[in-house]
Amino acid sequence: MSSITQHYQPNETLWQKIEETLTQSDINPDTQLNSNLLAPIDQLHIGGRQATQALLHQVDLKAGCHILEIGSGLGGTARLIAETLPCHITAIDITPDFCEAHQAINQRMSLNNIQVICADACDTQVQTGSQDIIISQHTLINIPDKTMLLKTLAESLKPGGSFLLHEVIAGSNKEPIKLPVPWASDISHSHLPDKDELIALFESAGFRLERFTDVTETALAWRKKHTQREAGSNQQGTTQAGSPLNPGIIFGERFLTMGKNVMANLTDNKVCVVEAVFKRS
């Protein structure tokens, strides 16, 4: 098992933990699963479901399109698309427990147009030139060889296809980031390019930049609100209050520290959060 997989891998089967948590709250995981119940754990990137929706609105997703998501986690983004758009989604993640839970959730929600693959994102297992859209949220941060990754992903896209990116990148403050954070327990797991490096990597792989937006202020406001909720000093939102699930199921007690560290890193400009759209040339 790779070190990054160990960072995310819980001590017991993740799907089992989800089932037990739901059952203890008198929710039948076989018949009552829905996106609101799952939102606290299947949209783990900064900004949650709203950030995903904002990213998806950057392009016109069409019925029948082929979408490849890397670093798909428990499948929140894939299901958000699949529930509203008849399309073909391939979801790749390197962590076996995430993929198992993703598949179990899809089965219970009768979502049959999502193919879940447990693999390194550098090995997409899709045909060359077969994808209309690639989606990546907080995934490049864990991948040291971005040159190989982006070359592989560019080959997966149809000419003119779009790459939707929602990512954490290095800020102007070059001091070491506070750890742990949700994507890294130690610095060997965290691979953050700055803006110029990120754009250059994509251009070298054959992509053309269409849009680039710094959403750090929005991300920081979201993180502050959730840090207060997690500490019990602010009332939970409707979605969080209506679900017994929370990120601690995945990250354990350290999640409170992770959230505070993310907020500190954003505040100190050690990291930024950006949205971008790249086109395959």
Side-chain angles (χ1 to χ4, degrees):
M1 184 184 296
S2 70
S3 59
I4 191 58
T5 303
Q6 288 174 326
H7 169 73
Y8 289 109
Q9 192 87 343
N11 293 324
E12 61 181 298
T13 302
L14 179 56
W15 173 242
Q16 179 184 345
K17 292 176 70 174
I18 294 170
E19 281 189 305
E20 290 174 353
T21 303
L22 292 170
T23 301
Q24 288 167 4
S25 296
D26 297 321
I27 298 170
N28 187 331
D30 291 327
T31 60
Q32 293 179 272
L33 278 185
N34 59 59
S35 57
N36 283 338
L37 278 174
L38 294 164
I41 60 169
D42 72 358
Q43 300 279 350
L44 289 175
H45 43 265
I46 302 169
R49 186 162 50 183
Q50 290 180 336
T52 299
Q53 291 168 331
L55 184 66
L56 296 176
H57 287 155
Q58 299 298 310
V59 295
D60 183 18
L61 296 176
K62 299 184 182 299
C65 68
H66 287 75
I67 299 171
L68 171 65
E69 183 188 9
I70 63 168
S72 54
L74 272 69
T77 297
R79 284 188 294 274
L80 187 63
I81 300 169
E83 287 182 301
T84 58
L85 183 72
C87 59
H88 309 278
I89 304 172
T90 302
I92 295 177
D93 200 282
I94 197 172
T95 304
D97 249 22
F98 283 2
C99 294
E100 179 191 4
H102 187 172
Q103 290 175 315
I105 293 166
N106 291 349
Q107 290 169 1
R108 284 155 181 80
M109 293 180 67
S110 300
L111 295 172
N112 303 315
N113 58 334
I114 303 173
Q115 180 186 12
V116 181
I117 298 175
C118 187
D120 189 307
C122 292
D123 180 17
T124 62
Q125 301 182 36
V126 299
Q127 291 185 346
T128 298
S130 62
Q131 304 300 304
D132 297 286
I133 304 286
I134 292 175
I135 299 172
S136 173
Q137 297 191 86
H138 295 20
T139 299
L140 301 189
I141 47 180
N142 287 140
I143 298 174
D145 191 350
K146 294 176 179 56
T147 299
M148 177 184 290
L149 171 71
L150 294 176
K151 179 179 182 294
T152 300
L153 295 177
E155 291 171 352
S156 302
L157 273 175
K158 297 175 182 177
S162 296
F163 192 122
L164 305 185
L165 181 70
H166 176 220
E167 193 55 277
V168 180
I169 64 172
S172 60
N173 182 350
K174 301 306 180 184
E175 295 177 359
I177 64 172
K178 295 187 79 170
L179 294 168
V181 288
W183 66 88
S185 299
D186 61 67
I187 200 63
S188 67
H189 299 154
S190 185
H191 305 278
L192 305 180
D194 62 24
K195 176 183 176 180
D196 292 340
E197 291 169 338
L198 181 71
I199 293 173
L201 282 165
F202 272 87
E203 290 178 343
S204 295
F207 289 96
R208 181 181 71 254
L209 179 63
E210 291 278 301
R211 284 190 293 281
F212 193 97
T213 307
D214 189 316
V215 294
T216 302
E217 286 192 18
T218 301
L220 179 56
W222 181 91
R223 186 60 257 171
K224 284 181 177 177
K225 178 178 69 176
H226 281 262
T227 295
Q228 291 169 350
R229 288 175 176 174
E230 289 152 9
S233 58
N234 202 356
Q235 187 175 2
Q236 286 187 321
T238 303
T239 300
Q240 288 77 17
S243 175
L245 303 174
N246 63 77
I249 291 173
I250 297 171
F251 295 109
E253 294 179 359
R254 60 186 178 153
F255 182 72
L256 290 176
T257 300
M258 289 177 170
K260 292 176 182 177
N261 287 344
V262 168
M263 186 171 68
N265 290 326
L266 287 167
T267 300
D268 295 340
N269 202 25
K270 294 178 180 179
V271 301
C272 300
V273 181
V274 299
E275 283 179 3
V277 180
F278 294 90
K279 288 273 190 182
R280 183 189 167 190
S281 302

